[in-house]
Amino acid sequence: MRDILLVLAVPLLLCASGVHAACDVWWRRRRPAPDPHSQAGRRLAAERAVADAEAIVADRYAILAEAERSAGGTFT
């Protein structure tokens, strides 16, 4: 029984991946990404860079706060 399920699962997986790829292509053609050299593209890149920087700072601050708690508050 397992062999039959495996044999039937392979074509189903291939069909599903093909449908997913076709839908992905359709979606990207309907909603293309902005040109990276346009004003909208530069704005999106800047927003991503700011979000990444904020995440890095928040992570480092959390590490510092944890170190300060474990050291008994001697980092002031």
Side-chain angles (χ1 to χ4, degrees):
M1 185 70 181
R2 276 189 168 171
D3 294 337
I4 293 173
L5 289 176
L6 183 62
V7 168
L8 293 176
V10 171
L12 182 64
L13 180 64
L14 289 174
C15 182
S17 64
V19 169
H20 180 271
C23 291
D24 188 46
V25 167
W26 175 82
W27 180 266
R28 290 182 189 274
R29 283 188 181 172
R30 293 281 184 172
R31 294 160 185 81
D35 182 23
H37 300 292
S38 69
Q39 185 174 356
R42 289 191 301 268
R43 187 185 70 244
L44 287 174
E47 288 172 358
R48 274 190 232 113
V50 168
D52 290 344
E54 287 175 347
I56 290 170
V57 169
D59 185 43
R60 298 300 183 232
Y61 183 73
I63 291 171
L64 181 63
E66 180 63 34
E68 186 174 355
R69 272 194 303 265
S70 66
T74 59
F75 289 131
T76 56

